[in-house]
Amino acid sequence: MPVEQQAIISVSGNVVQCRGAWTLSNLNDLERRIERLGWPTASEAICDVGEVTAMDTGGALLLQRIESDLVRMGKAVSVRGLKPEFAELVRMVQAKARLNHASPAQQAGWEKPPLQSVKIGTDGVIRALAFLGETTVAIGQSLLRPRLIRWRAMLRVVEFDGVRALPITGLLTFLVGVVIAYQGAEQLRKFGTNIFIVDLVGISLLREIAPLIVAILIAGRSGSAYAAEIGTMKVTEELDAVRTLGVSPINLLVLPRTFALVLTLPLLTVYADILGVFGGMLIASGQLNVSFAEFLDRFDEAVAVRHLLIGLAKAPFFAVIIALVGCYQGFQIRGGVDDVGRHTTISVVQSIFLVIVFDAVCSVVTSWWDL
Amino acid sequence: MTLTAPAGTPVIEVSHVSTKFGKAVVHQDVSLTINQGEVFVIAGGNGCGKSTLLREILGLTTPSSGTIRLFGIDSRQLDVSDGGAIHRRFGVMFQHGALFSSLTLAENVAVPLREHTNLRPKLIREIVEIKIAMVGLPPDSAGKYPNELSGGMRRRAALARAIVMDPELVFLDEPTAGLDPIIAAGFDDLVLSLKTHLGLTVVMVTHDLDSLWRISTRVAVLGDGRVLGIGTMQELSQSDDPIIREYFHGPRGRAAHEQAMWNQLKAGN
């Protein structure tokens, strides 16, 4: 072990005395000491490094810096007592440092603005349209020739994104039904119109809330997974492998997911409708003395079938939005691992955004048509 | 490097290590010692447990039995809770680089310095620039992200990151696999020059017979979960073990040997 654990530098006369361990852990202190140092005034300076016990690249770099500082002040510098085991290192650092000074191009790596200008160009739109077009053609082809559909892959998606989503969607819509009924119960009791709880819960859930909740849940649960899966396949060159095998990635990856979601989302919505209404029903009987039988009687007359149908009709469109946005974002992943995370986030935000926009448009249109 | 014990003291001691994954036996009773200042190569066929042994030395996998000492410390105690005091003393270059894809090349190389030292940004930058130049990467590549680099450049960048702290010990996992012969030979030269400049001990896993002949001081050949032989390439090439013979005297092994002999002759003249 070294005798001297610190890196020391001092000036006496025209000699710069360097001692101790000139290694990474000491360099910060050393650098500060160098800054406070009064350099020798004579026109010739000698760096005595005979008592340097250890030196690494950083230490050699600082020695080199001292030398070049002195040279810049117009002094003739000589290094004395450099141990042979450090000589090689010092020589190399000097050579590389000169090389680096000669080419200022390396600045690029360091002084990049933290936020690179966000390029909102037309390429994004064009790429999205190209993807949409390619997918539409592929969907058309498979609908014309159903034998092309990959049923096995599709059923797997139905299982993962439909069947396994049952508990969470059920629980969530049940709770939403409970919440709506609770909030409505306060108001309705004031007016003594307890029975209208059925209209409130039934229409809002069937028509708007259940499809929306299911869509948002699936966007977070499955849309993000699509983006991450496809993106990872892209990073690991699996997509290229698929292409070179003569298989279209759209056919292999996008269509089964899209078809499966189009099938699954309406089914999940029906299931969510049932559990949501059940939640409302529980609260109605508990808080408003509306028995299950009364509730169901009223449900029959108050909630027209069209509310259910409008809700269910939206579900396949939500499904297409979620599947396509998820897959599209997956295909957009270019670089490495961090890109996967970024595009996964984008896919969720975009698909929820588009689902809600689509829902709003539907509301406006159906109210025009008095539905 | 300069702070360490004299040459010849063991840096790594693997004693009686056995590894099982379920019923699959990877190692049984593997022992070897790696000394200061060596270029030690762990060789052997695919699936003979070279990489597992490397991971065990690094403390990433725990052997089923036996002990591994790295700088005299049991590698099972190698964790990051001590602030990486041991981790500072070695650098690892993974097979595919394992560069952080969200950072530029220069930032990647700077990570160990940022984490383990209190140096000012300017000095960190200068050190990083030197290391980038040392591994033979052009200065303008500093700002590039890993996905913009070629495979060979990524390896070099990974090597720069491994040596940026001036460690005493560097692990290289198949550094030349998949590189073209010119770049691979350049890489061997690079490892040799770093060894002389920085006084490194190098532990390398490789299949590359040319590298074996050119830069190794000692080689351990693994096979059947055991160490089949340890020694210099000269010694091993005289071994009677059938697997070692096949490994070194197959058509590729012979060609590499002849090339090495030829190079020695040339160097001699």
Side-chain angles (χ1 to χ4, degrees):
Chain A
M1 291 308 281
V3 192
E4 196 94 62
Q5 285 288 5
Q6 279 201 319
I8 314 254
I9 186 164
S10 58
V11 173
S12 59
N14 67 341
V15 178
V16 181
Q17 270 287 350
C18 306
R19 276 178 291 148
W22 284 43
T23 51
L24 280 179
S25 47
N26 296 328
L27 291 188
N28 197 30
D29 295 337
L30 183 63
E31 201 182 11
R32 281 166 212 278
R33 280 199 197 110
I34 291 173
E35 275 163 19
R36 286 198 302 267
L37 213 60
W39 294 115
T41 43
S43 65
E44 272 181 41
I46 297 169
C47 276
D48 186 350
V49 292
E51 287 171 57
V52 172
T53 51
M55 181 177 275
D56 62 12
T57 314
L61 192 69
L62 277 189
L63 181 64
Q64 200 269 332
R65 207 196 260 176
I66 293 170
E67 269 186 76
S68 61
D69 280 354
L70 289 171
V71 168
R72 210 173 306 124
M73 286 185 273
K75 298 184 201 307
V77 190
S78 56
V79 177
R80 193 169 67 191
L82 187 63
K83 286 185 186 155
E85 59 260 43
F86 309 143
E88 189 77 348
L89 186 66
V90 169
R91 207 172 43 74
M92 186 183 57
V93 167
Q94 279 170 345
K96 303 293 184 197
R98 262 198 298 281
L99 199 76
N100 278 335
H101 280 296
S103 60
Q106 78 269 14
Q107 306 284 343
W110 296 92
E111 268 132 50
K112 226 170 222 177
L115 279 174
Q116 288 175 319
S117 60
V118 182
K119 199 172 114 199
I120 308 170
T122 46
D123 356 338
V125 178
I126 291 173
R127 274 206 303 270
L129 285 178
F131 175 78
L132 198 62
E134 211 178 329
T135 314
T136 313
V137 171
I139 289 177
Q141 280 171 345
S142 3
L143 289 182
L144 287 178
R145 275 180 292 170
R147 280 198 316 136
L148 288 183
I149 298 176
R150 291 163 195 274
W151 296 103
R152 191 181 276 275
M154 194 177 130
L155 288 178
R156 212 175 64 92
V157 179
V158 169
E159 193 201 330
F160 273 94
D161 299 340
V163 179
R164 297 198 186 175
L166 282 175
I168 184 71
T169 30
L171 178 65
L172 224 63
T173 39
F174 171 78
L175 290 178
V176 170
V178 167
V179 168
I180 292 176
Y182 251 119
Q183 295 304 318
E186 287 295 310
Q187 311 300 324
L188 291 173
R189 213 180 0 234
K190 271 188 212 156
F191 299 104
T193 50
N194 289 10
I195 193 67
F196 283 110
I197 189 74
V198 180
D199 306 48
L200 176 68
V201 170
I203 296 176
S204 63
L205 265 175
L206 262 51
R207 188 170 167 142
E208 291 292 340
I209 291 174
L212 211 54
I213 293 276
V214 170
I216 289 173
L217 206 69
I218 295 301
R221 194 177 174 277
S222 305
S224 58
Y226 298 167
E229 276 165 22
I230 295 177
T232 310
M233 287 181 78
K234 181 144 191 177
V235 172
T236 54
E237 295 183 324
E238 284 172 58
L239 283 190
D240 297 337
V242 166
R243 278 205 190 88
T244 54
L245 291 171
V247 179
S248 148
I250 302 253
N251 270 326
L252 184 70
L253 301 169
V254 180
L255 294 194
R257 289 176 167 79
T258 312
F259 288 148
L261 270 201
V262 166
L263 184 74
T264 318
L265 220 60
L267 294 176
L268 277 177
T269 306
V270 172
Y271 167 74
D273 284 343
I274 295 169
L275 280 170
V277 169
F278 176 66
M281 219 153 88
L282 279 183
I283 301 306
S285 75
Q287 299 277 310
L288 294 170
N289 299 321
V290 179
S291 72
F292 284 9
E294 280 175 292
F295 191 100
L296 291 177
D297 271 349
R298 173 70 192 166
F299 199 89
D300 207 17
E301 33 184 284
V303 184
V305 181
R306 70 164 196 279
H307 296 306
L308 173 73
L309 294 181
I310 287 174
L312 287 184
K314 287 189 285 194
F317 291 97
F318 291 163
V320 170
I321 290 173
I322 294 166
L324 292 191
V325 168
C327 295
Y328 172 69
Q329 288 300 336
F331 282 111
Q332 290 315 298
I333 290 167
R334 292 267 174 277
V337 182
D338 59 327
D339 228 20
V340 176
R342 205 162 58 83
H343 281 280
T344 307
T345 312
I346 295 177
S347 83
V348 175
V349 174
Q350 264 184 5
S351 52
I352 292 179
F353 170 77
L354 289 176
V355 160
I356 291 178
V357 167
F358 181 79
D359 192 52
V361 171
C362 284
S363 297
V364 173
V365 171
T366 46
S367 80
W368 275 348
W369 291 342
D370 287 330
L371 285 171
Chain B
M1 44 159 292
T2 39
L3 283 174
T4 50
T9 49
V11 177
I12 296 168
E13 288 175 274
V14 177
S15 50
H16 308 294
V17 163
S18 301
T19 311
K20 296 185 189 81
F21 292 131
K23 278 183 183 164
V25 178
V26 183
H27 305 126
Q28 30 185 334
D29 201 27
V30 168
S31 298
L32 47 90
T33 310
I34 300 172
N35 297 321
Q36 171 83 27
E38 278 190 304
V39 176
F40 191 91
V41 177
I42 302 172
N46 288 107
C48 71
K50 301 186 298 292
S51 295
T52 308
L53 185 61
L54 190 68
R55 290 178 59 83
E56 285 170 352
I57 295 173
L58 294 171
L60 298 172
T61 314
T62 314
S64 313
S65 66
T67 54
I68 294 173
R69 290 182 172 276
L70 185 61
F71 299 119
I73 289 160
D74 193 326
S75 69
R76 263 168 292 197
Q77 283 154 14
L78 266 187
D79 55 31
V80 286
S81 57
D82 61 352
I86 298 298
H87 291 84
R88 280 178 219 205
R89 298 175 63 185
F90 64 83
V92 186
M93 184 196 135
F94 286 95
Q95 195 176 348
H96 300 287
L99 296 174
F100 304 120
S101 56
S102 56
L103 304 178
T104 63
L105 192 164
E107 287 165 344
N108 257 293
V109 177
V111 166
L113 290 174
R114 294 235 160 94
E115 291 298 319
H116 290 312
T117 69
N118 55 357
L119 300 183
R120 294 189 203 167
K122 182 164 179 280
L123 191 59
I124 288 187
R125 182 177 150 170
E126 286 177 3
I127 294 176
V128 168
E129 278 167 3
I130 284 192
K131 297 292 177 179
I132 289 177
M134 242 184 218
V135 297
L137 286 169
D140 60 355
S141 60
K144 289 191 177 150
Y145 285 89
N147 60 330
E148 299 167 327
L149 300 173
S150 70
M153 288 171 90
R154 242 177 274 168
R155 303 273 174 96
R156 280 165 189 267
L159 183 61
R161 186 176 70 184
I163 60 166
V164 74
M165 295 285 292
D166 281 5
E168 302 153 43
L169 174 62
V170 172
F171 294 93
L172 309 173
D173 191 1
E174 306 211 12
T176 53
L179 297 183
D180 74 45
I182 301 167
I183 294 184
F187 212 97
D188 291 343
D189 290 337
L190 180 60
V191 171
L192 279 182
S193 93
L194 291 175
K195 178 177 139 41
T196 39
H197 284 130
L198 303 175
L200 292 173
T201 306
V202 180
V203 178
M204 188 158 101
V205 167
T206 190
H207 284 297
D208 188 330
L209 289 155
D210 294 309
S211 307
L212 280 170
W213 279 109
R214 284 192 64 198
I215 66 175
S216 69
T217 47
R218 278 198 311 148
V219 180
V221 184
L222 298 190
D224 289 342
R226 295 176 295 118
V227 179
L228 297 175
I230 286 193
T232 64
M233 279 302 277
Q234 284 301 345
E235 290 162 15
L236 286 176
S237 61
Q238 255 107 64
S239 163
D240 299 328
D241 187 284
I243 301 180
I244 297 183
R245 283 193 70 80
E246 208 181 329
Y247 197 83
F248 292 119
H249 294 277
R252 288 166 167 244
R254 271 206 308 277
H257 189 181
E258 278 158 21
Q259 184 63 42
M261 296 295 102
W262 174 241
N263 286 346
Q264 268 179 12
L265 270 178
K266 264 201 311 196
N269 291 341

